[in-house]
Amino acid sequence: FMQGHNTQSNNNTTITNSLEYLKVDGVNNSTKSISNYLSADYNFDNKYFLAGALSVDGSSRFGKETQSGFSLFGRSWGVFPSISAGWNISSERFLKNAKFIDFLKFRTSYGLTGNDGIKDYASMAYFSIVQFMDRASGLVLSNLENSKIQWETTAKASAGMDFNLFNSRVTGNFDVYSSKTSNLLMLKDLPEVTGLGKYWENGGELTNKGFEASLNFKVLNLNALKWELGFSVGHYKNKITSLPFGDYTTSVYGGEVLTSVGNPAGVFYGYKTKGVFATTADAAASELKILNTNGSYTNFSAGDVIFDDAKKDGVIDSKDKQVIGNPNPDYYGTIFTKIAIKKFTVSALFSYSYGNDVYNYQRSILESGADYSNQTAAMLNRWTAEGQTTSQPKAYYGDPMGNARFSDRWIEDGSYIRLKTLSVAYNVPIKNNFINGFTVWASANNLVTWTKYLGLDPEFSARNSVYYQGVDAGLVPPTKSFFLGVNFNL
């Protein structure tokens, strides 16, 4: 990727040194991975099932001196075994009189898996090209070597069941699981003196427990009317149980994500608020203040945010930061329904999430009132006069009191339910020697979303990393789309 400015001609499409603000960017990374598998399956009388698997994996993303696995050909390799068992209990004789059970199977498993979700060359020291004053090019150190960085390993145990009941009128499955992840891949901040930003490191343990279930019903199964209804629900709860290097925070879009023992992964860490000072007397009575860089203090005044003084020392500073949000949902899943009336079929699919918090980064910029940039209409409710009661603080250039700092002002409830797909189909009754079936259909996606979230879309993730879960960085939301089509069989 290259760009240059001030060409003095709209017809000039050539990048030359005569242009101003030259910029060259892009990636040309190379990653190598090798996976080797060995598996075995055993089935006795279609009742008892046993399976085992072994995976031996290597990735160029990891160092050559890892503590786990083994070394071969100058590289580190991870070993990941797994075993599973199943029991088709509906085939047993003692259930032959249970006519309502069409199929019932219990299953369990235990296995290890590895994760190499880090950047390419994270284990190596390397240089990157930079430009100085838009004229000269040079190389700077961009990463420190870590020859011991390796995969994180997750040991997971699960148990579940699959069933069909009442002549397949009711079908479903249920699973519970418990996992433990060790050698967590952690993204940490390097000291500012290095000038290198963040780095990857192994350390710590995380547990995760939860369940997933789905049920499908054939509510009506008549000749002219059929109705199917189904839903799924999932729940998980994770907790960091060990951090050998201590708790730490990670900077994310002007906010902070806390990694600490006893808390879930990815929680938001900042200041709690209690509204806005309506009067000068209220502000003076609180005796809250900030410490300036020159050692002096400045008291909060009318129109400033009321921050929670967690340390109870009268000074609002980093010691008052608390957990202000959890991006992990309490429940998530889907709802499905399908109705067929003679030749017409209508189906709908909903997705939902409940109990997850969201960091609205866009609001933190567009409602800060700290500069001359465009702001949202919410700023019309800002504090402007003595005695005014509002949740929007006063606008003040530069934000000297830190009213727009990372706080629960920017944390919102991200719960939602969305109509993902709605479709209608008509099976045209055509019968001849050439066309065996002809269907006309129409469908629409992302028609409507019910949510209290103030951002553009509650279903997002700024990046795949757990540190960016629940962070709305302004990505383009999914748009409504409509389709018309025909299906035919010849």
Side-chain angles (χ1 to χ4, degrees):
F1 165 81
M2 295 188 297
Q3 72 176 17
H5 296 262
N6 297 342
T7 66
Q8 299 181 358
S9 172
N10 289 334
N11 296 324
N12 188 357
T13 58
T14 304
I15 304 295
T16 65
N17 287 332
S18 63
L19 302 181
E20 297 182 6
Y21 308 108
L22 289 170
K23 181 180 179 181
V24 179
D25 198 5
V27 294
N28 186 23
N29 293 356
S30 176
T31 301
K32 297 180 180 180
S33 61
I34 298 178
S35 296
N36 306 276
Y37 301 99
L38 177 66
S39 62
D41 296 272
Y42 178 72
N43 171 9
F44 178 75
D45 200 23
N46 282 327
K47 295 181 182 179
Y48 313 105
F49 306 88
L50 185 64
L54 179 67
S55 175
V56 179
D57 302 326
S59 173
S60 62
R61 291 178 174 176
F62 297 117
K64 299 180 179 180
E65 300 176 0
T66 61
Q67 297 181 354
S68 301
F70 64 94
S71 179
L72 183 65
F73 306 124
R75 292 289 181 178
S76 296
W77 299 75
V79 181
F80 308 102
S82 65
I83 187 171
S84 62
W87 178 23
N88 190 355
I89 191 173
S90 57
S91 296
E92 297 290 354
R93 292 182 178 179
F94 58 79
L95 283 182
K96 65 180 181 179
N97 293 326
K99 301 299 183 181
F100 68 95
I101 298 179
D102 304 316
F103 175 78
L104 179 61
K105 181 179 180 180
F106 293 104
R107 44 187 167 73
T108 183
S109 66
Y110 178 83
L112 304 181
T113 56
N115 173 28
D116 68 344
I118 60 176
K119 289 185 176 181
D120 303 325
Y121 315 124
S123 64
M124 308 175 188
Y126 58 83
F127 292 83
S128 297
I129 189 172
V130 297
Q131 283 192 329
F132 179 72
M133 299 295 289
D134 295 321
R135 291 294 183 267
S137 298
L139 295 175
V140 295
L141 182 66
S142 295
N143 194 64
L144 297 178
E145 180 182 5
N146 183 1
S147 61
K148 294 184 179 180
I149 190 170
Q150 67 173 63
W151 54 92
E152 61 182 22
T153 301
T154 298
K156 181 179 180 180
S158 65
M161 56 185 283
D162 304 307
F163 56 86
N164 293 354
L165 307 176
F166 304 106
N167 198 23
S168 295
R169 294 287 294 270
V170 179
T171 63
N173 58 70
F174 179 78
D175 290 273
V176 294
Y177 59 86
S178 177
S179 65
K180 179 180 179 181
T181 303
S182 56
N183 288 321
L184 288 173
L185 288 169
M186 304 184 301
L187 188 62
K188 302 182 67 176
D189 293 313
L190 283 165
E192 291 185 4
V193 67
T194 64
L196 297 181
K198 304 179 186 300
Y199 73 105
W200 287 96
E201 187 174 46
N202 288 105
E205 294 179 347
L206 170 75
T207 61
N208 193 29
K209 299 179 180 180
F211 69 85
E212 292 180 341
S214 68
L215 273 176
N216 296 278
F217 302 91
K218 291 183 178 179
V219 183
L220 295 173
N221 194 24
L222 307 177
N223 291 332
L225 177 61
K226 301 180 186 299
W227 180 21
E228 294 183 26
L229 179 65
F231 70 90
S232 67
V233 61
H235 166 77
Y236 69 87
K237 186 175 183 179
N238 60 53
K239 183 172 69 173
I240 298 172
T241 58
S242 173
L243 287 173
F245 307 107
D247 300 347
Y248 67 93
T249 61
T250 302
S251 301
V252 175
Y253 287 97
E256 284 186 285
V257 171
L258 175 67
T259 303
S260 67
V261 174
N263 278 315
V267 294
F268 301 120
Y269 189 63
Y271 297 86
K272 289 186 177 181
T273 62
K274 301 178 179 179
V276 173
F277 289 114
T279 66
T280 301
D282 292 339
S286 71
E287 298 183 347
L288 293 178
K289 52 188 174 293
I290 62 172
L291 177 63
N292 302 313
T293 55
N294 61 3
S296 63
Y297 292 94
T298 301
N299 288 80
F300 285 87
S301 60
D304 286 326
V305 173
I306 307 173
F307 290 103
D308 181 23
D309 183 19
K311 195 170 184 292
K312 306 301 181 184
D313 59 358
V315 180
I316 301 301
D317 54 19
S318 59
K319 300 182 185 69
D320 298 307
K321 292 181 180 180
Q322 307 172 58
V323 175
I324 57 176
N326 182 358
N328 300 287
D330 294 330
Y331 300 98
Y332 60 91
T334 59
I335 302 172
F336 169 78
T337 186
K338 180 180 179 181
I339 299 176
I341 304 175
K342 294 185 177 181
K343 301 295 183 180
F344 284 96
T345 302
V346 180
S347 61
L349 175 65
F350 298 83
S351 63
Y352 68 88
S353 179
Y354 174 77
N356 55 299
D357 293 320
V358 170
Y359 167 32
N360 194 332
Y361 170 68
Q362 297 297 304
R363 277 190 57 227
S364 72
I365 301 299
L366 298 176
E367 296 180 15
S368 67
D371 53 32
Y372 297 126
S373 62
N374 289 334
Q375 303 284 279
T376 69
M379 292 300 294
L380 296 175
N381 296 322
R382 69 189 184 278
W383 185 94
T384 57
E386 182 78 8
Q388 179 184 356
T389 301
T390 180
S391 59
Q392 189 69 34
K394 60 187 176 184
Y396 203 115
Y397 186 81
D399 192 24
M401 301 305 293
N403 289 325
R405 71 184 73 190
F406 185 58
S407 68
D408 56 12
R409 288 182 60 199
W410 318 124
I411 305 299
E412 302 181 35
D413 181 7
S415 303
Y416 72 90
I417 180 170
R418 165 172 285 165
L419 178 54
K420 294 284 288 186
T421 305
L422 177 65
S423 63
V424 179
Y426 177 67
N427 188 10
V428 181
I430 295 179
K431 294 182 179 180
N432 56 46
N433 295 330
F434 301 99
I435 300 178
N436 295 324
F438 190 84
T439 303
V440 180
W441 58 270
S443 69
N445 298 328
N446 305 311
L447 279 179
V448 62
T449 302
W450 294 273
T451 181
K452 294 182 179 180
Y453 179 56
L454 299 177
L456 294 177
D457 180 52
E459 188 179 19
F460 58 82
S461 182
R463 299 183 189 177
N464 291 331
S465 171
V466 67
Y467 298 103
Y468 294 86
Q469 181 182 357
V471 177
D472 186 358
L475 299 179
V476 177
T479 57
K480 296 179 181 178
S481 57
F482 304 89
F483 301 90
L484 292 173
V486 295
N487 295 336
F488 55 88
N489 299 325
L490 301 179

